[in-house]
Amino acid sequence: MPTIKDIAHISGVSLATVSYVLNNRPGKVSPEKRERVLAAIRQTNYRPRQSLQRAALPDCLTLGIAVGSATRDRYFQAMLDNLHNVLDEMGHNSLIFTSRLFYEDPLLSIRTYCDGRCDGLIVVSPSVGNELVRTLRERGFPHILVGNSGDDALSSSCEIDNLAAARTAMGELLSQGHKRIAYCRGPHETRASWQREEGYRQILAEADLPIDERWIGEIPDIRSWAPGLLTLPPDERPTAIFSFSDGVSRLLLSALTAAGASVPSDISLVSVDDLGADATNPPLTTVRQPFQEIGRGAAEILLAQIRDPELAPQQRLIEGELVRRDSVGIGPLGP
């Protein structure tokens, strides 16, 4: 196992400089020296020394889970629960980090993740350009992104196939005779929203169907956008909406109901997740997130990376499953 003396020798700096870098003490080390130390850490696969108890249990690892909002969001809670259960079944420990650390400057918080208590880190749905992810790569610390990772080949990832989910949802609407279909986006900082919109546009283009930019909605504008769709001329009015998520669909249902519209009589609705979708009025047709499969895939990839640091990053996409309920009706052209 390499030591900080090895890191200091390879990078040509003092032990104090290595310590400053490991503890992320800003202002103590020049950017040039910091990069030399980080390069030596990556070269040697250096990790802080582990306790004797951990060393005695090489087959029982501890994987950290960094979650942005573990208690307030159904998606994060579902992913967290499934990751914890999968790791428990596999005989490994999980260490959950608070959401505050997820958004904190990684130069201040990275030592918390990489202090030897966990062997690798699962980062749940980081925003595009997330600094924590960048710093983990810089350190060469084993990690995997779960959700919202897109086609980023620099880090391993495991998530639902967002393009396929969009095509499944759109295919259901098309099969019921809907030809004018709107899309309501998710948060701007999530790649999943872009990818589902890409799938939406692709399938309409393939079917030679129109895309009216008035049919593209945003979360902040739902209260005015959704009722506004119903005021368009009949031959310009969408008969269905593909929504980014069940959470967005709940907002749409509220806005449409307040405007006096009925789902699916006036407009059909389909989304992605299947998180409480059976409890809405009407129950939502949705593409179910394969949370357990995503959790298991993420754990398998990360454990392989920990055991063989030379492995190239892996990207795994898992298809969702359409769950039909009552929010999709027959379109004007029939099924």
Side-chain angles (χ1 to χ4, degrees):
M1 292 289 291
T3 67
I4 61 171
K5 289 184 179 180
D6 299 319
I7 302 302
H9 175 73
I10 293 170
S11 56
V13 300
S14 67
L15 290 174
T17 297
V18 175
S19 178
Y20 287 144
V21 173
L22 289 173
N23 288 283
N24 292 294
R25 297 185 62 180
K28 293 288 187 179
V29 182
S30 69
E32 185 270 334
K33 286 185 178 180
R34 181 173 180 273
E35 179 52 39
R36 279 159 50 193
V37 172
L38 292 172
I41 289 172
R42 291 191 293 268
Q43 176 185 334
T44 61
N45 193 35
Y46 170 79
R47 301 285 182 272
R49 285 188 178 276
Q50 300 177 352
S51 68
L52 291 176
Q53 182 181 9
R54 288 281 308 285
L57 296 171
D59 294 327
C60 180
L61 303 179
T62 297
L63 302 185
I65 305 173
V67 185
S69 178
T71 58
R72 297 186 298 275
D73 186 282
R74 291 174 186 247
Y75 169 84
F76 286 111
Q77 189 61 61
M79 189 63 76
L80 181 62
D81 288 345
N82 278 275
L83 283 169
H84 175 77
N85 291 338
V86 164
L87 291 174
D88 186 51
E89 290 173 6
M90 297 174 76
H92 298 293
N93 301 315
S94 56
L95 178 62
I96 300 169
F97 292 96
T98 65
S99 58
R100 174 185 60 79
L101 289 169
F102 193 89
Y103 298 106
E104 192 171 273
D105 181 348
L107 289 178
L108 300 175
S109 66
I110 194 67
R111 180 67 174 174
T112 305
Y113 299 112
C114 307
D115 66 351
R117 288 181 295 170
C118 63
D119 300 282
L121 188 66
I122 300 170
V123 185
V124 179
S125 199
S127 58
V128 175
N130 183 270
E131 288 297 306
L132 169 60
V133 175
R134 181 191 62 77
T135 306
L136 290 168
R137 290 175 186 153
E138 194 176 61
R139 286 295 186 90
F141 190 77
H143 66 282
I144 187 167
L145 314 184
V146 173
N148 195 31
S149 53
D151 57 356
D152 189 344
L154 297 177
S155 293
S156 291
S157 63
C158 187
E159 62 183 327
I160 188 174
D161 188 330
N162 288 300
L163 282 173
R167 297 179 73 88
T168 297
M170 290 292 291
E172 175 67 3
L173 294 174
L174 292 174
S175 73
Q176 295 304 309
H178 295 280
K179 305 300 180 185
R180 297 191 301 273
I181 304 171
Y183 175 66
C184 193
R185 294 172 174 142
H188 283 291
E189 65 272 14
T190 64
R191 279 196 180 92
S193 181
W194 308 349
Q195 291 171 328
R196 291 173 197 175
E197 181 175 347
E198 182 182 350
Y200 160 82
R201 292 179 180 274
Q202 282 180 2
I203 200 165
L204 287 181
E206 290 168 6
D208 197 25
L209 293 173
I211 300 175
D212 189 325
E213 292 305 318
R214 293 175 297 176
W215 301 349
I216 309 299
E218 310 272 357
I219 290 178
D221 304 324
I222 281 179
R223 290 186 179 180
S224 59
W225 173 77
L229 295 176
L230 305 173
T231 66
L232 295 173
D235 60 346
E236 300 175 16
R237 185 183 308 157
T239 62
I241 302 173
F242 168 40
S243 165
F244 167 72
S245 69
D246 294 344
V248 173
S249 287
R250 289 187 187 89
L251 298 176
L252 287 168
L253 282 170
S254 176
L256 291 167
T257 300
S262 174
V263 175
S265 298
D266 297 311
I267 192 164
S268 289
L269 184 59
V270 63
S271 59
V272 179
D273 278 344
D274 197 27
L275 294 172
D278 58 340
T280 59
N281 184 24
L284 287 168
T285 292
T286 189
V287 179
R288 178 177 291 156
Q289 282 258 16
F291 288 106
Q292 186 172 21
E293 293 89 341
I294 291 172
R296 187 170 301 280
E300 290 171 352
I301 293 170
L302 183 54
L303 290 168
Q305 184 181 347
I306 291 169
R307 289 169 177 143
D308 183 0
E310 299 303 316
L311 282 177
Q314 300 179 53
Q315 285 74 45
R316 185 179 299 181
L317 297 176
I318 301 175
E319 289 200 17
E321 174 190 2
L322 181 69
V323 181
R324 292 185 175 92
R325 296 196 179 95
D326 299 333
S327 64
V328 175
I330 297 174
L333 300 182

